[in-house]
């Protein structure tokens, strides 16, 4: 099935990407965007594909541009960005507003948690413990951002009807 994208959808995706980069770089000023205890304010935007599925691609582009400055290098640029894309595509398929923040929490907790564990321990005997710790810390911060900031954002934008809505 081929979907025709409107100029409004593409523009919205581009705006989401630009806002993601801006918020991520702003958070990096305070040391919040990267690391074991990362709290990216930009991740609140990961709920937007629930209303407008093309936002997933804007999030992906924004994450790629943000991860260029990641201290974890090319693996974070590739796998961290792909985790955000996967989360956005899954969020677009969520049936409930309350579940929309969950895919980013799970995807980033698992993927970024594994990436951070690999960066610090390699695939040694310490990897499982490091993975569990990192997955919980990244996933926990993601949970806070997505549910405390993202869910209210989703509610306000859904009620305002200013966004391109996904087809019923």
């Amino acid at each position: 099935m081929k979907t025709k994208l409107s100029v409004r959808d593409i523009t919205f995706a581009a705006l989401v990407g630009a806002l993601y980069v801006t918020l991520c770089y702003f958070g990096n000023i305070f040391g919040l965007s990267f690391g074991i205890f990362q709290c990216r304010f930009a991740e609140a935007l990961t709920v937007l594909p629930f209303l407008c599925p093309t936002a997933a691609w804007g999030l992906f582009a924004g994450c790629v541009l943000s991860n260029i400055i990641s201290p974890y290098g090319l693996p974070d640029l590739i796998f961290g960005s792909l985790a955000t894309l996967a989360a956005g595509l899954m969020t677009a398929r969520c049936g409930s507003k309350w579940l929309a923040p969950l895919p980013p929490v799970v995807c980033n907790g698992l993927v970024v948690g594994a990436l951070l564990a690999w960066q610090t321990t390699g695939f040694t005997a310490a990897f499982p413990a490091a993975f569990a710790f990192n997955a919980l810390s990244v996933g926990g911060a993601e949970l806070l951002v997505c549910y405390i900031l993202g869910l209210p954002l989703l509610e306000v934008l859904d009620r305002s009807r200013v966004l391109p809505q996904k087809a019923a």
Side-chain angles (χ1 to χ4, degrees), residues 126-146:
F127 179 81
F131 170 67
F133 175 77
N134 290 325
L136 288 174
S137 67
V138 171
E142 189 82 12
L143 183 82
L144 290 174
V145 170
C146 288

Side-chain angles (χ1 to χ4, degrees), residues 75-156:
D76 192 24
L77 181 71
I78 295 168
F79 296 110
S81 301
L82 287 174
T84 297
L85 176 60
L89 294 174
M90 285 190 267
T91 300
R93 297 173 83 50
C94 279
S96 166
K97 215 181 287 188
W98 295 99
L99 295 177
L102 199 54
V105 172
V106 173
C107 288
N108 284 303
L110 293 176
V111 173
V112 177
L115 176 74
L116 293 174
W118 174 74
Q119 290 272 334
T120 56
T121 67
F123 289 117
T124 64
F127 179 81
F131 170 67
F133 175 77
N134 290 325
L136 288 174
S137 67
V138 171
E142 189 82 12
L143 183 82
L144 290 174
V145 170
C146 288
Y147 275 94
I148 291 177
L149 297 176
L151 197 57
L153 174 67
L154 184 64
E155 186 64 35
V156 167

Side-chain angles (χ1 to χ4, degrees), residues 9-162:
D9 287 337
I10 294 169
T11 303
F12 180 68
L15 286 172
V16 168
L19 187 56
Y20 187 99
V21 172
T22 303
L23 288 171
C24 191
Y25 280 20
F26 177 75
N28 195 44
I29 293 170
F30 303 103
L32 297 173
S33 294
F34 300 100
I36 294 170
F37 297 106
Q38 60 182 269
C39 188
R40 282 190 183 183
F41 304 122
E43 288 293 310
L45 302 174
T46 59
V47 299
L48 295 179
F50 180 79
L51 296 176
C52 180
T54 56
W57 295 100
L59 291 168
F60 174 64
C63 191
V64 167
L65 293 172
S66 296
N67 284 348
I68 287 173
I69 64 168
S70 171
Y72 301 104
L74 192 58
D76 192 24
L77 181 71
I78 295 168
F79 296 110
S81 301
L82 287 174
T84 297
L85 176 60
L89 294 174
M90 285 190 267
T91 300
R93 297 173 83 50
C94 279
S96 166
K97 215 181 287 188
W98 295 99
L99 295 177
L102 199 54
V105 172
V106 173
C107 288
N108 284 303
L110 293 176
V111 173
V112 177
L115 176 74
L116 293 174
W118 174 74
Q119 290 272 334
T120 56
T121 67
F123 289 117
T124 64
F127 179 81
F131 170 67
F133 175 77
N134 290 325
L136 288 174
S137 67
V138 171
E142 189 82 12
L143 183 82
L144 290 174
V145 170
C146 288
Y147 275 94
I148 291 177
L149 297 176
L151 197 57
L153 174 67
L154 184 64
E155 186 64 35
V156 167
L157 291 175
D158 188 29
R159 286 185 185 183
S160 71
R161 299 279 186 207
V162 296

